[in-house]
Amino acid sequence: MIQKPFKVAVIGAGAIGGWIAARLHLAIETQSEHAASEVCVITRGETHRTIQTSGLRLVQKGEQQTHWIPGPTANFLKESGQTFDLIIVSVKAQTMAQAAVDIAPLMHADTAVLTAMNGVPWWFLQGFGGECQGKTLQSVDPGGAITTLIAPQHILGCVVHASCSTTSPGLVQHHFGNGLIIGEPSGAVTPRLERVLALFKGAGFDATASGSIQRDIWYKLWGNMTMNPISALTGSTTDRVLGDDLVRGFVSAVMLEAKEIGARIGLPIDQAPEDRHAVTAKLGAFKTSMLQDTEAGRAIELDAIVGAVHELGHFTGVATPHTSALLGLTRLMAQQRGLYPT
């Protein structure tokens, strides 16, 4: 059982971060047995201003709830000396370096930093051995700046199996899915992991422990690394991507390259691409997060979703001609639209 006080901060209140924050705050409002003692959201810009004036609004099952969650700025928290027991990070990967600067002063010696983000996180090569153990992925952590600010021992990984979107700042729409897979980078079952699982289960999430969180991240990425950029390139929902024989063949070729990389770093996948296509097809016609970002004119998470796989290909000596083509084409499209740095 979680012993109070247990202070939680959510960094980023976009689609996934806002959904998680609202659910954790509702557990406090309903006096759930395992609720945190405090939940706050740390945001910037228009999202921060909207949540301060209108609350964080969550729409699920056709009903809108408004949650008045404290939203102090990172600077205020730093100046006041406040720290948190759990910091949930749900920001775009390209903003993580700045987020790390905000997070570092909010940590105490036992703070857990849980990453609920798309793609390959900066700490991915920590904790599970293999030929790439301990290397820094420059695509997601240039110069190791994030690792310097957030030491590996603070990390908990999280894979989110849910679809959420945000059409305006502070307004989150939950579509489907309720799963959170959480694990230590080492694969160990620790007291802090059990504590965090109880927190999420008490808030109504389908939270499960992972014996290899890197494997779970890699398996989710195995599908997302193609569906996301191809949908952004074409403006198509996933059913149309898989419905075109030529495009589906290209998707499979990229996935086979990633599968070989995974095998070499100790994260084998025992499926064929067609097996994963069948799983994706069951979700029907939906817009990926990268397509949503492209349509909204927001920067895309290309480095964490494709760039890191391309870099791992170099680390392992796996040829990645199809992944390279996908990265180059998507990068050029995004640069033309001002959604990726030149």
Side-chain angles (χ1 to χ4, degrees):
M1 180 182 297
I2 295 177
Q3 301 297 318
K4 295 183 178 181
F6 191 71
K7 297 174 61 179
V8 178
V10 180
I11 310 293
I16 296 299
W19 173 59
I20 291 174
R23 293 279 294 275
L24 292 179
H25 193 260
L26 180 61
I28 295 176
E29 294 174 336
T30 57
Q31 299 181 335
S32 170
E33 178 184 4
H34 296 288
S37 57
E38 176 185 331
V39 174
C40 73
V41 292
I42 302 172
T43 56
R44 291 177 176 272
E46 187 61 29
T47 300
H48 173 76
R49 290 187 289 271
T50 300
I51 291 175
Q52 292 292 94
T53 58
S54 304
L56 175 62
R57 292 156 292 157
L58 173 64
V59 179
Q60 53 184 1
K61 298 180 180 179
E63 297 182 0
Q64 178 172 302
Q65 306 166 344
T66 300
H67 298 271
W68 293 96
I69 304 176
T73 64
N75 285 339
F76 172 83
L77 291 170
K78 178 181 178 180
E79 292 170 1
S80 65
Q82 294 187 52
T83 59
F84 294 86
D85 303 299
L86 173 65
I87 299 176
I88 301 168
V89 187
S90 185
V91 300
K92 298 294 185 182
Q94 64 268 23
T95 67
M96 187 60 222
Q98 177 56 54
V101 174
D102 294 337
I103 290 167
L106 310 182
M107 297 166 54
H108 56 66
D110 297 320
T111 296
V113 177
L114 184 144
T115 56
M117 301 166 62
N118 283 331
V120 174
W122 77 91
W123 53 265
F124 187 70
L125 297 177
Q126 303 291 335
F128 75 108
E131 63 181 78
C132 294
Q133 162 67 24
K135 288 187 177 181
T136 298
L137 285 165
Q138 296 298 320
S139 51
V140 289
D141 188 14
I146 301 172
T147 302
T148 299
L149 291 167
I150 304 174
Q153 65 265 24
H154 290 282
I155 297 297
L156 282 175
C158 177
V159 175
V160 179
H161 287 292
S163 175
C164 300
S165 62
T166 177
T167 55
S168 62
L171 175 62
V172 176
Q173 173 79 52
H174 174 252
H175 302 290
F176 60 83
N178 192 46
L180 301 177
I181 303 174
I182 304 170
E184 297 275 1
S186 67
V189 178
T190 60
R192 73 172 182 179
L193 174 59
E194 293 176 333
R195 194 178 195 189
V196 171
L197 285 170
L199 173 75
F200 283 113
K201 289 178 180 178
F205 293 97
D206 296 330
T208 56
S210 172
S212 176
I213 193 64
Q214 289 94 339
R215 186 186 298 261
D216 292 310
I217 290 170
W218 191 250
Y219 179 70
K220 181 179 180 182
L221 180 71
W222 197 47
N224 287 351
M225 69 169 291
T226 53
M227 290 296 107
N228 266 283
I230 291 174
S231 67
L233 280 170
T234 63
S236 301
T237 51
T238 54
D239 61 318
R240 298 201 65 185
V241 172
L242 291 177
D244 186 293
D245 291 344
L246 295 178
V247 177
R248 189 173 66 251
F250 177 72
V251 168
S252 296
V254 175
M255 293 174 73
L256 288 173
E257 292 173 358
K259 182 175 180 177
E260 178 60 24
I261 292 169
R264 295 197 187 186
I265 62 175
L267 301 174
I269 293 174
D270 60 0
Q271 290 184 340
E274 289 294 336
D275 298 323
R276 183 58 180 270
H277 297 340
V279 173
T280 303
K282 291 179 181 179
L283 300 177
F286 73 92
K287 292 184 177 183
T288 68
S289 60
M290 193 176 291
L291 176 55
Q292 293 177 41
D293 286 342
T294 301
E295 291 181 338
R298 296 188 292 256
I300 63 171
E301 296 180 286
L302 185 59
D303 292 327
I305 293 176
V306 187
V309 180
H310 185 259
E311 186 175 359
L312 284 166
H314 284 293
F315 282 173
T316 57
V318 175
T320 59
H322 298 92
T323 305
S324 299
L326 182 58
L327 175 60
L329 287 168
T330 312
R331 181 173 61 196
L332 184 58
M333 177 277 294
Q335 287 173 339
Q336 286 295 103
R337 298 187 181 194
L339 310 180
Y340 185 87
T342 56

